[in-house]
Amino acid sequence: MEYKLYKKADQRTSIWSGGTTTQLAIFPADSVYMERNFVWRLSTATCEEEESTFSRLPDFDRILMVLKGNVILAHQDVRVAKLGEMEQDSFDGAYRTKSFGVITDYNLMIRKGNKGALEPVNLEPNNMILECPKDENYSLYTTAFYCKEGFCTLSINGETVMISQGDQIVIDSKMDESLQLSVMGEGTLVRAHIWFNYESDTMRPTYIPPEKTSFDDFLTCMYLANIQFRGAGFFFKKLKTQWFDEELSKAINKIENIYLTFFVGLAGAIAAGALTINSCSAAVCALAIIAWLIVDILIVSPLIYLAVVPKPTRKHIKDISQLTPYEQAVREKELGTNVRLEKLMKKYEKSGRMAEQIRDAEKNSDL
């Protein structure tokens, strides 16, 4: 068992389309909300417009509890919910949801396949024993307390923690661990229960510690720099059994999307030709261009890659038979994505007719 107290003074507030939001806690702790790579997230938010549209989160279930004000949640084509202070609604993050009303709320987002619940706790001056319900379908249990108003002291397996208004405490435990909680104070808490399973290789990329640049990195970059052409799999058979992880793919795209190696190679060839064409024969000029192209292939382009790609580079190249579940899911998504078509669609997204023409063309071509 371990716990962490998030003091109000340390919390960060950001702006969303309908108001503000404050992330209170997220698991895993290094998750990024915008990347949707978390298991659960606790936050408070304000809806400052009479009408607000919620972000869609199809991989998550949501629970919203009103801390202040009144609201109507309209889940398009599903149902509506009218909520007053300390009332809550649970709904699928995939719903197209709008809120009507100016409120402050408390939110639990939890990845589908796991389970969560919120409940108000009205504090009393006398000590109250709190239960920690178990669910054997899950290996991990987190309970969290947000102090809506007032103050309290929370006893966690005999250790006392002071919680003030706006503070959030998160207590993590394994399902088979003993957890004894009691609380006393004045005011109101919002308590979250989160039952979940978590295996890093099913949800997160494999962490590869960075290392100093080595000669092997240069050799790997020589390979990478010279397979970036259509039909490379025909000449490099092992490409059919290799997969480049997200970090490496991002670095390669950074180089290739601006055709950096191509323009450097072209500029060098033009320079080699220009320097020799007036003072030497055509044969010497051709040899100078060929010599430059060899230097470019063996040294210049690999050095460009070496400056950008992660190290150790070779560890970011995976055999497709040894991918983690997370990597398999990413690869399947990549195989189902047509990068060229998406670029064209983005370019012409304002022209519905043109977009339809592109779709029709895609069906009859190998774009």
Side-chain angles (χ1 to χ4, degrees):
M1 182 278 300
E2 59 182 20
Y3 68 86
K4 183 171 183 179
L5 178 63
Y6 299 86
K7 301 291 288 183
K8 182 179 180 179
D10 299 326
Q11 297 163 10
R12 294 184 179 180
T13 299
S14 58
I15 297 173
W16 68 288
S17 59
T20 63
T21 184
T22 301
Q23 179 172 289
L24 301 172
I26 195 168
F27 181 88
D30 61 349
S31 301
V32 178
Y33 168 70
M34 294 302 295
E35 295 180 6
R36 308 295 194 257
N37 59 356
F38 58 95
V39 179
W40 56 259
R41 179 180 187 256
L42 293 169
S43 63
T44 60
T46 62
C47 294
E48 298 173 0
E49 305 289 338
E50 281 295 335
E51 179 179 333
S52 301
T53 300
F54 285 18
S55 301
R56 296 185 69 196
L57 300 166
D59 294 328
F60 297 86
D61 292 319
R62 301 184 61 172
I63 306 176
L64 180 149
M65 177 180 283
V66 177
L67 300 179
K68 181 181 179 181
N70 297 278
V71 70
I72 293 176
L73 296 182
H75 308 299
Q76 183 177 326
D77 300 326
V78 182
R79 60 179 173 81
V80 296
K82 185 177 180 180
L83 306 176
E85 190 169 312
M86 302 311 291
E87 294 181 331
Q88 61 183 287
D89 185 35
S90 301
F91 56 97
D92 192 320
Y95 288 171
R96 298 182 184 275
T97 299
K98 285 190 175 183
S99 69
F100 299 89
V102 177
I103 61 166
T104 300
D105 57 42
Y106 186 83
N107 296 277
L108 168 60
M109 302 175 183
I110 186 164
R111 186 171 291 274
K112 289 179 178 177
N114 303 292
K115 187 171 72 171
L118 297 179
E119 63 172 328
V121 178
N122 295 316
L123 296 168
E124 297 179 1
N126 298 322
N127 196 45
M128 297 187 299
I129 305 298
L130 301 174
E131 294 187 2
C132 298
K134 303 290 186 179
D135 190 326
E136 300 304 326
N137 294 312
Y138 303 95
S139 60
L140 301 172
Y141 171 67
T142 290
T143 187
F145 298 87
Y146 174 75
C147 189
K148 174 181 178 288
E149 57 191 12
F151 67 93
C152 70
T153 57
L154 180 67
S155 175
I156 310 169
N157 286 356
E159 185 174 350
T160 301
V161 182
M162 179 72 184
I163 307 174
S164 302
Q165 183 171 327
D167 292 349
Q168 171 80 66
I169 190 168
V170 175
I171 306 164
D172 299 316
S173 64
K174 296 180 180 178
M175 195 60 65
D176 57 359
E177 284 185 307
S178 175
L179 186 58
Q180 297 178 345
L181 302 176
S182 64
V183 66
M184 56 184 176
E186 294 181 359
T188 305
L189 299 177
V190 178
R191 185 181 184 185
H193 300 276
I194 307 170
W195 300 269
F196 63 103
N197 295 312
Y198 174 69
E199 295 180 9
S200 60
D201 65 355
T202 65
M203 287 188 57
R204 318 253 309 165
T206 302
Y207 175 68
I208 301 174
E211 297 179 7
K212 292 183 178 180
T213 303
S214 67
F215 183 65
D216 182 68
D217 292 324
F218 176 79
L219 294 178
T220 306
C221 287
M222 187 185 300
Y223 166 69
L224 293 173
N226 291 289
I227 59 171
Q228 305 304 320
F229 61 91
R230 194 162 184 168
F234 180 79
F235 298 96
F236 300 89
K237 300 297 183 184
K238 61 182 179 180
L239 276 174
K240 296 179 180 180
T241 60
Q242 288 180 336
W243 178 76
F244 302 158
D245 71 10
E246 292 172 289
E247 190 176 0
L248 179 57
S249 294
K250 184 177 180 180
I252 292 174
N253 291 335
K254 186 176 182 180
I255 297 170
E256 295 300 325
N257 285 346
I258 59 174
Y259 303 100
L260 181 59
T261 55
F262 171 77
F263 286 122
V264 170
L266 180 62
I270 292 173
L275 291 172
T276 57
I277 192 168
N278 293 326
S279 57
C280 304
S281 65
V284 173
C285 180
L287 287 173
I289 293 174
I290 292 172
W292 160 254
L293 292 177
I294 293 173
V295 171
D296 180 55
I297 290 171
L298 298 180
I299 300 176
V300 178
S301 289
L303 286 176
I304 292 173
Y305 268 73
L306 191 65
V308 177
V309 300
K311 292 89 174 175
T313 310
R314 194 176 300 276
K315 289 186 178 181
H316 291 267
I317 303 175
K318 312 291 183 68
D319 189 297
I320 59 174
S321 65
Q322 298 177 354
L323 301 183
T324 67
Y326 173 86
E327 292 168 342
Q328 290 173 353
V330 173
R331 180 173 180 267
E332 289 173 3
K333 184 177 180 180
E334 291 173 347
L335 292 174
T337 301
N338 189 312
V339 177
R340 294 183 67 197
L341 175 62
E342 287 192 347
K343 288 182 178 179
L344 287 171
M345 291 297 293
K346 186 174 182 180
K347 182 178 180 180
Y348 295 107
E349 61 184 357
K350 295 183 179 179
S351 172
R353 184 176 179 183
M354 180 64 74
E356 290 297 327
Q357 292 176 348
I358 295 171
R359 290 192 185 97
D360 292 340
E362 167 63 11
K363 293 178 181 179
N364 299 294
S365 71
D366 59 347
L367 279 177

